[in-house]
Amino acid sequence: GGDIAIHETSLELLEEADKSKVQGEVSDIRGGLLKFIDNVNNRNIKSEGGAQNRYGVIHIQANEVGQLMLREVLESGRSSSHRFSVSKERLLFIVDVVPTAQVTSQLQSRSIVVFDCH
């Protein structure tokens, strides 16, 4: 039971410089996409409106480089940066592969459903 809160974020992962969008900057304790995931899953963080059940929707535009950056985040279990680790529950990842790129075998193996929309 309880209220539901859906948190959403979007990012583009198209070049190596975008890696900080996933892991955060080296100086960040909590940063990047991992911070968003922690905000959804960390029970010690209060949700707006006090919602008990939080869900996260993550929309990512990526090419092959970006898909490689997502490998660990898309695997089951915890993901870690240089400073902290996050639990990944109640998350929906929507990876939009740009038209000039192919779906990598790593993304394919970590996906539940793949749609060809191009």
Side-chain angles (χ1 to χ4, degrees), residues 92-95 103 107-116:
L92 172 64
F93 288 89
I94 302 169
V95 181
V103 175
L107 180 63
Q108 184 78 40
S109 69
R110 290 164 176 82
S111 300
I112 294 175
V113 177
V114 176
F115 298 102
D116 184 356

Side-chain angles (χ1 to χ4, degrees), residues 12-108:
E12 283 187 350
L13 301 175
L14 302 173
E15 56 190 52
E16 200 60 39
D18 293 333
K19 189 171 188 173
S20 64
K21 294 178 184 178
V22 177
Q23 298 282 331
E25 298 293 339
V26 174
S27 61
D28 293 338
I29 293 174
R30 295 174 64 237
L33 182 57
L34 295 181
K35 178 180 179 180
F36 173 83
I37 293 170
D38 192 43
N39 287 343
V40 171
N41 284 288
N42 189 333
R43 293 291 180 192
N44 295 318
I45 296 173
K46 299 289 185 205
S47 180
E48 288 182 31
Q52 297 295 311
N53 300 302
R54 292 178 284 194
Y55 296 87
V57 177
I58 302 163
H59 176 251
I60 302 162
Q61 286 192 311
N63 57 12
E64 290 91 345
V65 171
Q67 292 174 65
L68 290 175
M69 290 180 210
L70 291 171
R71 284 181 305 198
E72 182 187 356
V73 176
L74 295 176
E75 289 178 352
S76 59
R78 298 181 70 83
S79 284
S80 301
S81 72
H82 50 281
R83 295 237 176 141
F84 83 113
S85 175
V86 296
S87 172
K88 297 176 300 204
E89 300 171 0
R90 300 176 311 279
L91 298 171
L92 172 64
F93 288 89
I94 302 169
V95 181
D96 183 5
V97 178
V98 296
T100 57
Q102 298 293 316
V103 175
T104 64
S105 60
Q106 291 89 355
L107 180 63
Q108 184 78 40

